[in-house]
Amino acid sequence: MRADARRNVEGIRQAALDVFRTGGLTTPLDEVAKAAGVSKGTIYHRFGSRTGLINAVVEELVAERIAGIIEAVDALDGPPLLRFEEYLLRTWLLQYDEPAANDVLMRVLPESEPLTELFWRACQFGSRLLYEAQAAGVVRADITPDDLVYLILERGVIARACDQQTRDDYRRRLDFVLRGLRTFRM
Amino acid sequence: MRADARRNVEGIRQAALDVFRTGGLTTPLDEVAKAAGVSKGTIYHRFGSRTGLINAVVEELVAERIAGIIEAVDALDGPPLLRFEEYLLRTWLLQYDEPAANDVLMRVLPESEPLTELFWRACQFGSRLLYEAQAAGVVRADITPDDLVYLILERGVIARACDQQTRDDYRRRLDFVLRGLRTFRM
DNA sequence: ACATTACTTGACGGCATGGTCAAGAAGTTA
DNA sequence: TAACTTCTTGACCATGCCGTCAAGTAATGT
């Protein structure tokens, strides 16, 4: 690989991290190209496709955020309800704060393996917490893991579409949703 | 107005009712044109713009559905919680069933007066029910009319984006949301 | 039947995006 | 430095939508 090519690959990765971070994974590649100071063609030449580029940055871009939440909540020792709700809350806020992470959780690119993998890790951890909370009788028993996936997907769609609402309002409204998942008399 | 023109106007209205009903208010006008057996140009010539066409059909297309819900719930004599929840439930289901009605409730065309008017009627009735339910102490006191608007907007976004989910699943999940709005010990 | 006027058409330009590739630019090597 | 190879470019095609308008078509009145 020639020196300029290596330089460009790195530049494109950095630009992609930057641009995707704020605009999500569906940002036009021209913007990445402009930010990297190269032309769109170079990106395709180097990474094959949009998915190729995403796979090359997803680890640094999103994986650690999601892993961070999982670890943090896993380390939390509190009652099952707290752990369950804390996980949902953090995930939902991540979806608001980071369009790219949201795209992963919304399965915007189903054809990307790393993204699918990430998504499943998040789901499975959520299911575990759900199960524990239900076993403790603090969360409605009729909620399924599928419902959980939908709760996250829903919030993703909302975070994307309702971008006029402030973070505080978004946050406050999450409480309503959490309340709806608890068993009565909480 | 010439006879053929009158025929076309009516044909276009019917086609628009049909096409918008299933596809929502943002369906490409070419589809309406094809359904009406005329060309796109004729629609623009006759109705001026997409908004013009929508205004010409919205009454028949959506107004009565929304008015129907308001009347039905208004006529319902039950406790405030039931009325409040019944209204939300019916509205949310309407959003699932009728993309066009959903577009109205989501304010997809803010520049259309008839649509804005409709939207506000729905909101105001909802606010009234909310107020009554809160006065009775059965719904969380910290929910504002704005929150209500958002709850409807949210469901709209979801109904649009998550169209894989069956109506039954959608319906079942609405219960979670309703539960979250109640005061404790319900 | 013909002139007049109303009406319709569909090709067109515009915009935004995705992805491709021949031609030219620039490192690399001897 | 000259030949060779790699790399980059941006114009290009394709898609899908909006809205327009000159040119063609057809109803109407006398």
Side-chain angles (χ1 to χ4, degrees), chain A residues 47-168:
Chain A
F47 295 91
S49 64
R50 154 177 245 103
T51 305
L53 175 59
I54 288 172
N55 289 344
V57 297
V58 66
E59 195 64 28
E60 191 170 340
L61 184 59
V62 175
E64 45 191 54
R65 310 276 169 145
I66 292 178
I69 291 179
I70 293 180
E71 279 166 36
V73 173
D74 205 29
L76 215 68
D77 61 333
L81 182 64
L82 180 92
R83 288 160 54 86
F84 175 69
E85 294 194 341
E86 192 65 26
Y87 180 62
L88 274 181
L89 205 55
R90 291 194 193 202
T91 302
W92 285 337
L93 285 174
L94 178 68
Q95 290 179 276
Y96 183 94
D97 292 329
E98 302 244 355
N102 194 14
D103 287 336
V104 170
L105 294 171
M106 288 179 64
R107 316 239 39 218
V108 166
L109 272 93
E111 72 274 22
S112 162
E113 277 185 42
L115 263 58
T116 302
E117 165 61 22
L118 252 178
F119 170 77
W120 279 118
R121 235 189 292 161
C123 285
Q124 272 169 18
F125 184 69
S127 295
R128 214 186 82 201
L129 295 182
L130 171 67
Y131 178 79
E132 289 169 6
Q134 285 176 327
V138 291
V139 158
R140 288 178 64 146
D142 59 347
I143 296 173
T144 68
D146 262 12
D147 290 332
L148 205 60
V149 174
Y150 252 95
L151 283 167
I152 289 172
L153 181 59
E154 279 182 9
R155 233 17 70 175
V157 176
I158 290 162
R160 283 197 137 194
C162 313
D163 49 1
Q164 321 82 316
Q165 71 186 327
T166 64
R167 194 176 192 277
D168 279 352

